Amino acid sequence: MRHFITLLDITAEEARHILNRAAIIKRMLREGKEHKPLAGKTLGMIFDKASTRTRVSFEVGMFQLGGHALFLHSSDTQLGRGEPIEDAARVLSRMLDGIVIRTYGHDMVQRFAAHSLVPVINALTDLTHPCQILADVFTFEEHRGSIQGKTVAWIGDGNNMAHSWINGSVSFGYKLNIACPEGYSPDLKLLAAARELGADVTLSDDPLLAARDADLVTTDVWASMGQEEEQRIREKAFAGYQVDKNVMLQAQPDALFMHCLPAHRDQEVAADVIDGAQSVVWDEAENRLHAQKALLEFLLA
Ligand code: CP
Ligand code: NVA
């Protein structure tokens, strides 16, 4: 029984296997071939935060794999009335075959997993968003081939997405250049742990330097879910960190632009970049479905 709480819960070989399966699963869907390895299985999905892509991709993915998904907003369950996480994990995992959780504290998912009899998947915490990196690397490779040895530029907040890009450098062997304003760096303990495992990461406060010769430029919102009241302060701190044409000009001429979405045009990304020829954000969003179906197959089949 395996969990997927960060990318480091699976080996580099397993990560590669999942992306290979994602390509096959995507092709089967396009060709109208049924693939139902999860017939009779149920997936519980506990969400404490809003979601469009993650919720829909897991629900649709589970249906297409022959299983069933239950969406549980935690405020509608006894968790919202204070039932201990450990008790919820013991009970739910006796009925379900897998559990997806989107919440605030990363420790909530870890505590749940420690008492779960079935695989637990992190669908985003304040610390990491590993499912997104599976889709993002898959998308890069569909367009440009192997990401190994390529350069990824992360411009913006040292947030959950930045952390998962850091861990992804261990799994997928790309170089990651991060540019964050002072005070918004990624978690240095997570960075140090990933470097120990071979992550190739540079950290600076210079977006143009980070983007130089990059094969992929990526960013995310300046204020994540739960940080809404910091929006104004963050807009000031992140002025100068917008991924605009000038940033893209530093990168390779064929560099791609990605954003996990939802995006704020003309804040973290200029409208002409996200809506421009280098942007692959719609493929990236669609690939959440295919990559997570491969993850579900890996964990539950
Ligand atoms: N990228 C992402 O996780 O989107 P949602 O918040 O819509 O699930
Ligand atoms: N960093 C963002 C990602 C949303 C998918 C957040 O946590 O709100």
Side-chain angles (χ1 to χ4, degrees):
M1 203 266 292
R2 304 281 297 278
H3 300 302
F4 185 67
I5 299 175
T6 80
L7 280 161
L8 302 178
D9 287 335
I10 58 173
T11 65
E13 291 71 32
E14 288 168 339
R16 183 49 57 202
H17 166 77
I18 289 168
L19 296 199
N20 291 342
R21 287 296 303 161
I24 293 166
I25 286 170
K26 181 171 182 175
R27 203 176 318 128
M28 283 194 285
L29 185 70
R30 292 266 156 101
E31 290 168 357
K33 288 189 189 139
E34 282 201 350
H35 177 57
K36 300 198 183 295
L38 301 187
K41 303 230 175 187
T42 48
L43 181 73
M45 311 200 322
I46 302 171
F47 279 61
D48 270 337
K49 288 177 173 171
S51 171
T52 297
R53 283 143 286 267
T54 307
R55 175 182 175 175
V56 173
S57 53
F58 271 116
E59 276 197 40
V60 171
M62 201 56 196
F63 172 76
Q64 290 177 352
L65 292 169
H68 178 74
L70 292 87
F71 180 76
L72 302 161
H73 198 282
S74 52
S75 61
D76 298 333
T77 70
Q78 299 290 7
L79 274 170
R81 295 180 59 250
E83 182 167 20
I85 288 160
E86 292 76 7
D87 292 359
R90 290 179 178 109
V91 172
L92 290 173
S93 68
R94 285 177 178 232
M95 301 183 198
L96 296 161
D97 299 291
I99 295 162
V100 166
I101 306 178
R102 168 170 285 200
T103 190
Y104 294 88
H106 194 73
D107 64 308
M108 188 272 192
V109 180
Q110 289 170 321
R111 282 165 57 202
F112 195 104
H115 295 86
S116 174
L117 301 168
V118 298
V120 172
I121 298 172
N122 172 3
L124 182 148
T125 64
D126 291 343
L127 190 71
T128 59
H129 192 10
C131 293
Q132 183 74 50
I133 299 301
L134 293 179
D136 291 5
V137 171
F138 180 57
T139 305
F140 180 88
E141 296 194 336
E142 277 190 323
H143 286 269
R144 295 285 182 267
S146 174
I147 201 167
Q148 191 171 3
K150 295 276 167 57
T151 300
V152 178
W154 173 269
I155 316 283
D157 192 16
N159 65 10
N160 44 12
M161 279 301 306
H163 293 152
S164 285
W165 275 109
I166 290 170
N167 287 338
S169 174
V170 177
S171 316
F172 296 108
Y174 51 75
K175 177 179 166 60
L176 178 65
N177 294 331
I178 298 177
C180 302
E182 206 193 317
Y184 295 95
S185 293
D187 183 288
L188 295 179
K189 257 169 64 187
L190 182 145
L191 177 59
R195 279 179 169 150
E196 283 278 307
L197 295 171
D200 184 358
V201 183
T202 72
L203 191 55
S204 80
D205 61 3
D206 185 345
L208 298 181
L209 183 68
R212 194 174 296 161
D213 297 328
D215 300 285
L216 168 63
V217 179
T218 184
T219 187
D220 186 14
V221 291
W222 291 339
S224 285
M225 290 182 275
Q227 298 172 334
E228 288 78 5
E229 73 292 350
E230 294 175 35
Q231 180 69 33
R232 284 247 183 92
I233 297 174
R234 283 172 170 265
E235 277 173 26
K236 277 195 195 136
F238 286 90
Y241 284 80
Q242 183 183 94
V243 177
D244 58 12
K245 266 192 181 152
N246 194 28
V247 170
M248 292 306 292
L249 277 174
Q250 311 303 312
Q252 297 284 352
D254 70 343
L256 298 177
F257 171 77
M258 286 193 201
H259 188 310
C260 64
L261 305 178
H264 297 82
R265 282 175 178 72
D266 297 327
Q267 288 191 25
E268 73 271 9
V269 58
D272 59 359
V273 170
I274 192 169
D275 297 319
Q278 287 170 281
S279 172
V280 291
V281 296
W282 314 123
D283 290 343
E284 180 186 5
E286 178 193 327
N287 282 335
R288 296 293 303 282
L289 172 66
H290 312 300
Q292 283 157 210
K293 282 171 73 180
L295 177 67
L296 288 168
E297 182 192 69
F298 173 74
L299 292 173
L300 306 188

mmCIF file of all heavy atoms in Angstrom, residues 22 25-26 29 53 56-62 64-65 135 138 283-296:
data_model
loop_
_atom_site.group_PDB
_atom_site.id
_atom_site.type_symbol
_atom_site.label_atom_id
_atom_site.label_comp_id
_atom_site.label_asym_id
_atom_site.label_seq_id
_atom_site.Cartn_x
_atom_site.Cartn_y
_atom_site.Cartn_z
ATOM 1 N N ALA A 22 0.459 7.409 -18.573
ATOM 2 C CA ALA A 22 -0.433 8.541 -18.886
ATOM 3 C C ALA A 22 -0.557 8.704 -20.400
ATOM 4 O O ALA A 22 -1.662 8.936 -20.923
ATOM 5 C CB ALA A 22 0.088 9.820 -18.242
ATOM 6 N N ILE A 25 -2.744 5.829 -21.670
ATOM 7 C CA ILE A 25 -4.133 6.025 -21.219
ATOM 8 C C ILE A 25 -4.795 7.160 -22.007
ATOM 9 O O ILE A 25 -5.963 7.078 -22.389
ATOM 10 C CB ILE A 25 -4.134 6.282 -19.690
ATOM 11 C CG1 ILE A 25 -3.860 4.967 -18.956
ATOM 12 C CG2 ILE A 25 -5.439 6.900 -19.225
ATOM 13 C CD1 ILE A 25 -3.606 5.114 -17.459
ATOM 14 N N LYS A 26 -4.035 8.217 -22.281
ATOM 15 C CA LYS A 26 -4.569 9.340 -23.070
ATOM 16 C C LYS A 26 -4.908 8.884 -24.487
ATOM 17 O O LYS A 26 -5.963 9.206 -25.026
ATOM 18 C CB LYS A 26 -3.536 10.481 -23.096
ATOM 19 C CG LYS A 26 -4.006 11.712 -23.864
ATOM 20 C CD LYS A 26 -3.040 12.881 -23.675
ATOM 21 C CE LYS A 26 -3.540 14.122 -24.411
ATOM 22 N NZ LYS A 26 -2.687 15.301 -24.162
ATOM 23 N N LEU A 29 -8.060 6.761 -24.613
ATOM 24 C CA LEU A 29 -9.276 7.579 -24.500
ATOM 25 C C LEU A 29 -9.598 8.221 -25.847
ATOM 26 O O LEU A 29 -10.745 8.220 -26.300
ATOM 27 C CB LEU A 29 -9.079 8.653 -23.423
ATOM 28 C CG LEU A 29 -10.311 9.508 -23.126
ATOM 29 C CD1 LEU A 29 -11.393 8.688 -22.416
ATOM 30 C CD2 LEU A 29 -9.934 10.714 -22.260
ATOM 31 N N ARG A 53 -9.990 22.178 -11.562
ATOM 32 C CA ARG A 53 -9.269 21.148 -12.292
ATOM 33 C C ARG A 53 -9.072 19.855 -11.495
ATOM 34 O O ARG A 53 -9.292 18.754 -12.015
ATOM 35 C CB ARG A 53 -7.873 21.666 -12.705
ATOM 36 C CG ARG A 53 -7.891 22.603 -13.879
ATOM 37 C CD ARG A 53 -6.856 23.695 -13.701
ATOM 38 N NE ARG A 53 -7.349 24.617 -12.704
ATOM 39 C CZ ARG A 53 -8.060 25.729 -12.994
ATOM 40 N NH1 ARG A 53 -8.249 26.065 -14.238
ATOM 41 N NH2 ARG A 53 -8.547 26.519 -12.046
ATOM 42 N N VAL A 56 -12.441 17.943 -10.823
ATOM 43 C CA VAL A 56 -13.060 17.379 -12.034
ATOM 44 C C VAL A 56 -12.170 16.285 -12.627
ATOM 45 O O VAL A 56 -12.666 15.240 -13.057
ATOM 46 C CB VAL A 56 -13.382 18.497 -13.049
ATOM 47 C CG1 VAL A 56 -13.859 17.916 -14.369
ATOM 48 C CG2 VAL A 56 -14.442 19.443 -12.458
ATOM 49 N N SER A 57 -10.852 16.493 -12.628
ATOM 50 C CA SER A 57 -9.982 15.476 -13.230
ATOM 51 C C SER A 57 -10.009 14.179 -12.419
ATOM 52 O O SER A 57 -10.024 13.082 -13.014
ATOM 53 C CB SER A 57 -8.556 16.002 -13.397
ATOM 54 O OG SER A 57 -8.049 16.521 -12.188
ATOM 55 N N PHE A 58 -10.060 14.261 -11.103
ATOM 56 C CA PHE A 58 -10.142 13.021 -10.320
ATOM 57 C C PHE A 58 -11.514 12.347 -10.481
ATOM 58 O O PHE A 58 -11.582 11.120 -10.601
ATOM 59 C CB PHE A 58 -9.853 13.274 -8.831
ATOM 60 C CG PHE A 58 -8.397 13.164 -8.476
ATOM 61 C CD1 PHE A 58 -7.690 14.263 -8.017
ATOM 62 C CD2 PHE A 58 -7.721 11.955 -8.604
ATOM 63 C CE1 PHE A 58 -6.336 14.164 -7.696
ATOM 64 C CE2 PHE A 58 -6.367 11.841 -8.283
ATOM 65 C CZ PHE A 58 -5.683 12.955 -7.831
ATOM 66 N N GLU A 59 -12.590 13.137 -10.494
ATOM 67 C CA GLU A 59 -13.925 12.520 -10.604
ATOM 68 C C GLU A 59 -14.111 11.870 -11.967
ATOM 69 O O GLU A 59 -14.570 10.729 -12.074
ATOM 70 C CB GLU A 59 -15.029 13.571 -10.396
ATOM 71 C CG GLU A 59 -15.335 13.810 -8.932
ATOM 72 C CD GLU A 59 -16.671 14.525 -8.706
ATOM 73 O OE1 GLU A 59 -17.662 14.225 -9.401
ATOM 74 O OE2 GLU A 59 -16.695 15.384 -7.829
ATOM 75 N N VAL A 60 -13.736 12.624 -13.016
ATOM 76 C CA VAL A 60 -13.896 12.096 -14.373
ATOM 77 C C VAL A 60 -12.942 10.915 -14.575
ATOM 78 O O VAL A 60 -13.319 9.892 -15.162
ATOM 79 C CB VAL A 60 -13.656 13.214 -15.417
ATOM 80 C CG1 VAL A 60 -13.587 12.662 -16.827
ATOM 81 C CG2 VAL A 60 -14.755 14.271 -15.305
ATOM 82 N N GLY A 61 -11.729 11.062 -14.074
ATOM 83 C CA GLY A 61 -10.742 9.996 -14.229
ATOM 84 C C GLY A 61 -11.202 8.706 -13.583
ATOM 85 O O GLY A 61 -11.089 7.619 -14.166
ATOM 86 N N MET A 62 -11.736 8.813 -12.391
ATOM 87 C CA MET A 62 -12.211 7.622 -11.667
ATOM 88 C C MET A 62 -13.352 6.969 -12.455
ATOM 89 O O MET A 62 -13.396 5.742 -12.603
ATOM 90 C CB MET A 62 -12.656 8.059 -10.273
ATOM 91 C CG MET A 62 -12.693 6.980 -9.242
ATOM 92 S SD MET A 62 -11.141 6.105 -9.028
ATOM 93 C CE MET A 62 -11.759 4.678 -8.131
ATOM 94 N N GLN A 64 -13.904 7.171 -15.712
ATOM 95 C CA GLN A 64 -13.377 6.559 -16.945
ATOM 96 C C GLN A 64 -12.614 5.265 -16.652
ATOM 97 O O GLN A 64 -12.564 4.375 -17.501
ATOM 98 C CB GLN A 64 -12.464 7.554 -17.675
ATOM 99 C CG GLN A 64 -13.255 8.717 -18.280
ATOM 100 C CD GLN A 64 -12.373 9.765 -18.941
ATOM 101 O OE1 GLN A 64 -11.147 9.721 -18.845
ATOM 102 N NE2 GLN A 64 -13.013 10.705 -19.618
ATOM 103 N N LEU A 65 -12.042 5.155 -15.467
ATOM 104 C CA LEU A 65 -11.317 3.926 -15.097
ATOM 105 C C LEU A 65 -12.259 2.848 -14.555
ATOM 106 O O LEU A 65 -11.814 1.787 -14.127
ATOM 107 C CB LEU A 65 -10.236 4.252 -14.061
ATOM 108 C CG LEU A 65 -9.060 5.108 -14.578
ATOM 109 C CD1 LEU A 65 -8.191 5.591 -13.415
ATOM 110 C CD2 LEU A 65 -8.198 4.342 -15.583
ATOM 111 N N ALA A 135 1.373 16.252 -14.268
ATOM 112 C CA ALA A 135 0.737 16.772 -15.491
ATOM 113 C C ALA A 135 1.656 17.743 -16.220
ATOM 114 O O ALA A 135 1.718 17.750 -17.459
ATOM 115 C CB ALA A 135 -0.576 17.456 -15.133
ATOM 116 N N PHE A 138 4.527 15.864 -17.920
ATOM 117 C CA PHE A 138 3.912 15.132 -19.035
ATOM 118 C C PHE A 138 3.652 16.084 -20.214
ATOM 119 O O PHE A 138 3.957 15.766 -21.373
ATOM 120 C CB PHE A 138 2.615 14.487 -18.535
ATOM 121 C CG PHE A 138 1.861 13.696 -19.555
ATOM 122 C CD1 PHE A 138 2.453 12.640 -20.228
ATOM 123 C CD2 PHE A 138 0.531 13.999 -19.858
ATOM 124 C CE1 PHE A 138 1.742 11.892 -21.172
ATOM 125 C CE2 PHE A 138 -0.176 13.260 -20.797
ATOM 126 C CZ PHE A 138 0.430 12.216 -21.450
ATOM 127 N N ASP A 283 -3.384 22.560 -22.577
ATOM 128 C CA ASP A 283 -2.914 21.159 -22.607
ATOM 129 C C ASP A 283 -2.554 20.713 -21.190
ATOM 130 O O ASP A 283 -2.858 19.589 -20.771
ATOM 131 C CB ASP A 283 -1.657 21.020 -23.477
ATOM 132 C CG ASP A 283 -1.953 21.196 -24.956
ATOM 133 O OD1 ASP A 283 -3.126 21.097 -25.340
ATOM 134 O OD2 ASP A 283 -0.990 21.454 -25.709
ATOM 135 N N GLU A 284 -1.892 21.618 -20.486
ATOM 136 C CA GLU A 284 -1.450 21.340 -19.112
ATOM 137 C C GLU A 284 -2.664 21.006 -18.234
ATOM 138 O O GLU A 284 -2.644 20.039 -17.459
ATOM 139 C CB GLU A 284 -0.718 22.583 -18.601
ATOM 140 C CG GLU A 284 -0.178 22.503 -17.201
ATOM 141 C CD GLU A 284 0.395 23.862 -16.737
ATOM 142 O OE1 GLU A 284 0.279 24.875 -17.470
ATOM 143 O OE2 GLU A 284 0.936 23.887 -15.625
ATOM 144 N N ALA A 285 -3.723 21.803 -18.362
ATOM 145 C CA ALA A 285 -4.926 21.563 -17.548
ATOM 146 C C ALA A 285 -5.572 20.232 -17.940
ATOM 147 O O ALA A 285 -5.947 19.427 -17.080
ATOM 148 C CB ALA A 285 -5.908 22.716 -17.720
ATOM 149 N N GLU A 286 -5.683 19.973 -19.241
ATOM 150 C CA GLU A 286 -6.282 18.699 -19.686
ATOM 151 C C GLU A 286 -5.467 17.509 -19.168
ATOM 152 O O GLU A 286 -6.027 16.480 -18.771
ATOM 153 C CB GLU A 286 -6.331 18.619 -21.223
ATOM 154 C CG GLU A 286 -6.915 17.286 -21.689
ATOM 155 C CD GLU A 286 -6.719 16.978 -23.168
ATOM 156 O OE1 GLU A 286 -6.710 17.918 -23.996
ATOM 157 O OE2 GLU A 286 -6.595 15.771 -23.490
ATOM 158 N N ASN A 287 -4.162 17.676 -19.164
ATOM 159 C CA ASN A 287 -3.302 16.547 -18.791
ATOM 160 C C ASN A 287 -3.382 16.180 -17.314
ATOM 161 O O ASN A 287 -2.924 15.112 -16.919
ATOM 162 C CB ASN A 287 -1.860 16.824 -19.221
ATOM 163 C CG ASN A 287 -1.683 16.586 -20.712
ATOM 164 O OD1 ASN A 287 -2.439 15.811 -21.318
ATOM 165 N ND2 ASN A 287 -0.703 17.235 -21.314
ATOM 166 N N ARG A 288 -4.017 17.033 -16.501
ATOM 167 C CA ARG A 288 -4.298 16.621 -15.127
ATOM 168 C C ARG A 288 -5.088 15.307 -15.150
ATOM 169 O O ARG A 288 -4.856 14.406 -14.342
ATOM 170 C CB ARG A 288 -5.103 17.702 -14.384
ATOM 171 C CG ARG A 288 -4.392 19.031 -14.183
ATOM 172 C CD ARG A 288 -3.219 18.923 -13.257
ATOM 173 N NE ARG A 288 -3.599 18.392 -11.959
ATOM 174 C CZ ARG A 288 -4.211 19.073 -10.975
ATOM 175 N NH1 ARG A 288 -4.472 20.360 -11.132
ATOM 176 N NH2 ARG A 288 -4.510 18.488 -9.825
ATOM 177 N N LEU A 289 -6.043 15.229 -16.069
ATOM 178 C CA LEU A 289 -6.895 14.031 -16.179
ATOM 179 C C LEU A 289 -6.049 12.796 -16.493
ATOM 180 O O LEU A 289 -6.130 11.785 -15.789
ATOM 181 C CB LEU A 289 -7.952 14.245 -17.277
ATOM 182 C CG LEU A 289 -8.801 13.020 -17.640
ATOM 183 C CD1 LEU A 289 -9.686 12.604 -16.472
ATOM 184 C CD2 LEU A 289 -9.660 13.320 -18.872
ATOM 185 N N HIS A 290 -5.252 12.879 -17.543
ATOM 186 C CA HIS A 290 -4.520 11.692 -18.002
ATOM 187 C C HIS A 290 -3.438 11.275 -16.999
ATOM 188 O O HIS A 290 -3.259 10.086 -16.735
ATOM 189 C CB HIS A 290 -3.928 11.965 -19.388
ATOM 190 C CG HIS A 290 -4.924 12.556 -20.336
ATOM 191 N ND1 HIS A 290 -6.086 11.893 -20.683
ATOM 192 C CD2 HIS A 290 -4.976 13.757 -20.958
ATOM 193 C CE1 HIS A 290 -6.792 12.662 -21.500
ATOM 194 N NE2 HIS A 290 -6.141 13.793 -21.687
ATOM 195 N N ALA A 291 -2.733 12.268 -16.454
ATOM 196 C CA ALA A 291 -1.660 11.946 -15.503
ATOM 197 C C ALA A 291 -2.238 11.343 -14.218
ATOM 198 O O ALA A 291 -1.687 10.384 -13.666
ATOM 199 C CB ALA A 291 -0.843 13.203 -15.190
ATOM 200 N N GLN A 292 -3.358 11.880 -13.750
ATOM 201 C CA GLN A 292 -3.937 11.355 -12.502
ATOM 202 C C GLN A 292 -4.603 9.998 -12.719
ATOM 203 O O GLN A 292 -4.647 9.182 -11.786
ATOM 204 C CB GLN A 292 -4.898 12.361 -11.893
ATOM 205 C CG GLN A 292 -4.125 13.481 -11.210
ATOM 206 C CD GLN A 292 -4.903 14.757 -11.063
ATOM 207 O OE1 GLN A 292 -4.306 15.811 -11.070
ATOM 208 N NE2 GLN A 292 -6.203 14.677 -10.951
ATOM 209 N N LYS A 293 -5.117 9.747 -13.931
ATOM 210 C CA LYS A 293 -5.628 8.390 -14.195
ATOM 211 C C LYS A 293 -4.481 7.388 -14.079
ATOM 212 O O LYS A 293 -4.645 6.298 -13.515
ATOM 213 C CB LYS A 293 -6.276 8.318 -15.581
ATOM 214 C CG LYS A 293 -7.666 8.922 -15.613
ATOM 215 C CD LYS A 293 -8.210 9.036 -17.030
ATOM 216 C CE LYS A 293 -8.606 7.693 -17.623
ATOM 217 N NZ LYS A 293 -9.117 7.858 -19.007
ATOM 218 N N ALA A 294 -3.319 7.777 -14.593
ATOM 219 C CA ALA A 294 -2.162 6.876 -14.488
ATOM 220 C C ALA A 294 -1.740 6.715 -13.025
ATOM 221 O O ALA A 294 -1.354 5.620 -12.603
ATOM 222 C CB ALA A 294 -1.001 7.423 -15.328
ATOM 223 N N LEU A 295 -1.835 7.780 -12.260
ATOM 224 C CA LEU A 295 -1.514 7.701 -10.825
ATOM 225 C C LEU A 295 -2.509 6.801 -10.097
ATOM 226 O O LEU A 295 -2.112 5.950 -9.281
ATOM 227 C CB LEU A 295 -1.535 9.112 -10.216
ATOM 228 C CG LEU A 295 -1.293 9.202 -8.706
ATOM 229 C CD1 LEU A 295 0.137 8.799 -8.345
ATOM 230 C CD2 LEU A 295 -1.589 10.624 -8.191
ATOM 231 N N LEU A 296 -3.794 6.958 -10.397
ATOM 232 C CA LEU A 296 -4.829 6.121 -9.759
ATOM 233 C C LEU A 296 -4.617 4.649 -10.111
ATOM 234 O O LEU A 296 -4.728 3.771 -9.256
ATOM 235 C CB LEU A 296 -6.228 6.570 -10.203
ATOM 236 C CG LEU A 296 -6.713 7.909 -9.636
ATOM 237 C CD1 LEU A 296 -7.969 8.379 -10.380
ATOM 238 C CD2 LEU A 296 -6.988 7.807 -8.130
#
